[in-house]
């Protein structure tokens, strides 16, 4: 017999209290965990059901930042007017996470904590310099998303900590964005390459460049070397071709069931060229 | 050796109240089909891709194969069996009937639940575009590939809803 158990705390402090005493896996919308259970790959046996914790719900903002409660669903993201305007790549990503029924249950923190290299929201969040708020009974700390993934499915989080919110700085200007997901088909697919980029131009120069790619390495990547190469430059044919070479060198694609290394390099560099040439 | 955990859950299904004592991660679809014999809800892929198991939970479109019963305490669930009243098809079902929106019928319950949710989410007098309908139903796969007639059925249902 399986010995699966689920604790359902009434509020966040109750949840953190339970998590400080035993090692439990948070269960939110269940769109990843329930699939793993059905197909026999669910390793965890003891869970904490956080789906009803009101403290983890809702989207708020100040002049400086957005705060997305950990349980914010992709449907809430795609319906949010200010997010559409300020963080359009996150909204585009939300629309590509499964279909409507999944978007009603799948949460932003769940997408991050499932730690799939193919998580559609993560490249967008990396471009927007998102951070995670991790809370335990002892303390609250903020970890930049770029530092959160330590390796394949390895994260900078302790067993007594819960992701309580995602903090995203309010974009100051109106950057040019580019978000492309390449999968086997349009709807419901898992990414072969998920490409997100954002640039801010000033008198023809790239003053801000951020590039992130998912699904090509054990974790989603920010491509800082390629960004640095492009910063303060005016684009021309040779700069573009050098940048593409730099990007091909910086990404370390994986072979897996969905795609080959070579294909991923080709698609990533094609998307990158497409983006740069559109500027 | 400790006994496996069970949880006590009370929820409303098609406007009737039920109480269960079940292991916490029991899937809602299994409760519907096995415990309550509500077999109109179908199981296709078991991973949230095909939409055959779609139901409404508190009005929101949901894949019942991905919902653990532990999260259903106090919830209000509508399945395909909750659409018709006293054996009379509702307007959405009638629209599918008139436009030939069902072939083998396996995806049809899910298609009808998604259409119900689509219509519930429209603002007054809004007529959805074909693109909008296709996106809203993109989580429902039909392997008879009868999509054109399904889209026509949904369009008719939206017109009837406005009329």
């Amino acid at each position: 017999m399986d010995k699966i158990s689920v604790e359902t705390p009434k509020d966040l402090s109750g949840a953190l209290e339970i998590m400080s005493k035993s090692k439990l896996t948070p269960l939110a919308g269940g769109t990843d965990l329930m699939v793993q259970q059905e197909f026999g790959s669910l390793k965890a046996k003891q869970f904490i059901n956080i789906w009803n914790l009101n403290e983890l719900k809702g989207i708020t903002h100040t002049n400086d930042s957005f705060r997305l409660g950990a349980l914010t669903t992709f449907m809430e993201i795609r319906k949010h007017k200010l997010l559409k305007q300020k963080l359009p790549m996150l909204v585009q990503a939300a629309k590509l996470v499964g279909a409507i029924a999944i978007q009603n249950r799948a949460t932003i923190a769940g997408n991050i904590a499932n730690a799939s290299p193919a998580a559609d929201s993560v490249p967008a969040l990396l471009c927007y310099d998102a951070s995670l708020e991790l809370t335990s009974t002892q303390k609250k700390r903020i970890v930049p998303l770029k530092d959160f993934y330590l390796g394949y499915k390895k994260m900078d989080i302790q067993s007594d900590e819960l992701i309580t919110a995602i903090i995203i700085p309010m974009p100051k200007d109106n950057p040019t964005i580019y978000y492309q997901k390449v999968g086997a088909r349009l709807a419901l697919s898992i990414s072969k390459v998920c490409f997100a980029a954002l640039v801010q131009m000033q008198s023809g120069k790239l003053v801000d460049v951020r590039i992130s790619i998912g699904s090509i390495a054990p974790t989603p990547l920010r491509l800082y070397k390629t960004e640095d190469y492009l910063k303060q430059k005016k684009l021309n044919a040779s700069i573009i071709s050098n940048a593409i070479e730099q990007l091909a060198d910086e990404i370390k694609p994986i072979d897996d069931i969905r795609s080959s290394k070579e294909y991923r390099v080709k698609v990533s560099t094609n998307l990158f060229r497409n983006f740069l040439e559109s500027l | 050796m400790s006994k496996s955990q069970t949880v006590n859950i009370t929820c409303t299904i098609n406007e009737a109240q039920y109480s269960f004592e079940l292991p916490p991660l029991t899937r809602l679809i299994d409760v519907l089909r096995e415990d309550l014999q509500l077999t109109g809800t179908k199981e296709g892929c078991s991973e949230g891709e095909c939409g055959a198991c779609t139901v409404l939970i508190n009005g929101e479109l949901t894949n019942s194969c991905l919902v653990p019963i532990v999260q259903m305490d106090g919830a209000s669930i509508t399945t395909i069996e909750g659409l018709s009243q006293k054996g009379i098809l509702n307007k959405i079902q009638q629209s599918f009937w008139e436009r030939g929106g069902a072939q083998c019928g396996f995806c049809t319950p899910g298609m009808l639940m998604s259409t119900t949710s689509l219509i519930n989410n429209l603002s007054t007098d809004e007529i959805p575009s074909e693109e909008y309908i296709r996106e809203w139903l993109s989580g429902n796969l039909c392997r008879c590939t009868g999509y054109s007639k399904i889209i026509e059925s949904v369009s008719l249902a939206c017109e009837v809803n406005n009329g």
Side-chain angles (χ1 to χ4, degrees):
Chain A
M1 280 300 284
D2 57 21
K3 272 187 274 172
I4 283 184
S5 68
V6 180
E7 302 237 27
T8 301
K10 288 205 164 41
D11 54 24
L12 178 60
S13 66
L16 297 174
E17 196 59 41
I18 297 172
M19 289 180 75
S20 72
K21 292 187 182 116
S22 41
K23 212 173 173 174
L24 302 171
T25 300
L27 167 66
T31 52
D32 284 310
L33 294 182
M34 292 299 286
V35 174
Q36 292 168 19
Q37 176 190 237
E38 182 60 19
F39 290 92
S41 60
L42 188 59
K43 290 195 187 81
K45 299 273 181 222
Q46 293 178 302
F47 300 88
I48 179 161
N49 173 22
I50 59 170
W51 182 241
N52 292 314
L53 299 183
N54 288 324
E55 298 96 324
L56 304 184
K57 294 179 185 172
I59 300 169
T60 56
H61 67 93
T62 63
N63 287 338
D64 298 326
S65 63
F66 282 99
R67 178 192 166 89
L68 277 56
L71 292 176
T72 300
T73 64
F74 288 109
M75 182 54 78
E76 290 168 316
I77 289 172
R78 61 178 288 187
K79 280 183 172 171
H80 196 279
K81 287 211 172 83
L82 196 60
L83 286 182
K84 278 186 211 171
Q85 193 191 325
K86 296 289 184 184
L87 305 174
M89 287 198 290
L90 183 60
V91 174
Q92 285 181 39
K95 290 182 178 175
L96 293 171
V97 179
I100 309 289
I102 294 289
Q103 291 162 15
N104 281 334
R105 297 273 303 179
T107 64
I108 185 81
N111 201 218
I112 292 168
N114 186 50
S116 164
D120 290 320
S121 69
V122 174
L125 289 170
L126 283 170
C127 277
Y128 288 130
D129 286 334
S131 294
L132 307 182
E133 179 192 87
L134 305 179
T135 310
S136 68
T137 51
Q138 302 300 313
K139 63 176 191 290
K140 198 171 269 227
R141 64 185 177 113
I142 303 289
V143 179
L145 183 58
K146 69 180 171 59
D147 301 327
F148 185 64
Y149 296 114
L150 307 174
Y152 179 68
K153 300 255 177 190
K154 287 204 170 66
M155 289 161 275
D156 176 14
I157 188 167
Q158 303 301 313
S159 67
D160 64 342
E161 287 179 318
L162 195 59
I163 301 176
T164 40
I166 289 78
I167 314 286
I168 308 170
M170 184 70 72
K172 288 284 174 277
D173 304 299
N174 201 8
T176 305
I177 54 145
Y178 184 79
Y179 179 90
Q180 291 284 327
K181 168 174 168 168
V182 176
R185 61 181 176 195
L186 194 57
L188 307 172
S189 60
I190 297 175
S191 295
K192 294 169 190 278
V193 173
C194 180
F195 189 103
L198 170 164
V199 304
Q200 189 67 48
M201 307 272 275
Q202 223 167 60
S203 32
K205 267 193 207 161
L206 302 172
V207 290
D208 192 2
V209 190
R210 303 180 208 167
I211 307 158
S212 176
I213 310 189
S215 221
I216 52 156
T219 71
L221 300 176
R222 256 296 282 272
L223 302 175
Y224 291 105
K225 285 183 190 160
T226 309
E227 292 177 12
D228 286 344
Y229 173 76
L230 281 169
K231 262 179 207 161
Q232 300 304 330
K233 291 205 167 67
K234 287 189 177 180
L235 291 179
N236 60 39
S238 84
I239 299 274
I240 288 178
S241 116
N242 288 347
I244 287 167
E245 256 177 59
Q246 173 65 58
L247 180 128
D249 186 56
E250 193 172 2
I251 59 178
K252 308 259 183 295
I254 44 176
D255 274 314
D256 72 5
I257 49 166
R258 275 181 288 282
S259 216
S260 69
K261 224 181 267 184
E262 292 71 22
Y263 180 81
R264 286 185 157 105
V265 174
K266 189 79 187 156
V267 171
S268 302
T269 51
N270 282 352
L271 291 172
F272 189 43
R273 177 184 298 280
N274 189 4
F275 173 56
L276 292 178
E277 288 179 351
S278 74
L279 290 171
Chain B
M1 184 111 172
S2 60
K3 217 175 136 224
S4 290
Q5 184 198 14
T6 57
V7 288
N8 293 306
I9 300 296
T10 300
C11 59
T12 304
I13 300 173
N14 300 331
E15 297 179 355
Q17 212 180 59
Y18 296 89
S19 291
F20 308 100
E21 188 186 342
L22 290 164
L25 295 191
T26 307
R27 303 179 309 164
L28 175 60
I29 189 173
D30 295 328
V31 177
L32 296 174
R33 291 181 53 86
E34 308 293 331
D35 296 29
L36 301 180
Q37 307 293 307
L38 293 173
T39 53
T41 300
K42 305 299 182 196
E43 178 159 14
C45 69
S46 320
E47 56 180 352
E49 297 220 356
C50 78
C53 70
T54 307
V55 299
L56 301 182
I57 298 178
N58 300 329
E60 292 198 333
L61 204 64
T62 309
N63 299 122
S64 63
C65 74
L66 299 182
V67 176
I69 198 70
V70 68
Q71 294 180 338
M72 288 299 95
D73 201 36
S76 174
I77 299 156
T78 306
T79 72
I80 185 67
E81 287 87 353
L83 295 193
S84 62
Q85 296 296 326
K86 295 179 182 155
I88 312 276
L89 300 183
N90 78 4
K91 288 174 181 174
I92 297 171
Q93 293 170 308
Q94 189 65 37
S95 300
F96 272 68
W97 173 261
E98 284 175 26
R99 288 288 184 272
Q103 279 190 52
C104 85
F106 196 85
C107 73
T108 313
M111 292 288 180
L112 287 164
M113 298 317 290
S114 289
T115 308
T116 304
S117 149
L118 182 154
I119 288 176
N120 290 346
N121 276 280
L122 292 176
S123 43
T124 323
D125 295 336
E126 186 182 353
I127 295 282
S129 64
E130 181 181 330
E131 192 191 346
Y132 185 91
I133 294 173
R134 283 184 182 275
E135 202 218 333
W136 204 277
L137 269 65
S138 68
N140 295 88
L141 305 185
C142 166
R143 293 297 81 168
C144 305
T145 67
Y147 290 112
S148 296
K149 284 179 181 294
I150 292 167
I151 303 300
E152 286 172 25
S153 305
V154 178
S155 294
L156 177 62
C158 294
E159 282 170 36
V160 172
N161 180 58
N162 269 329

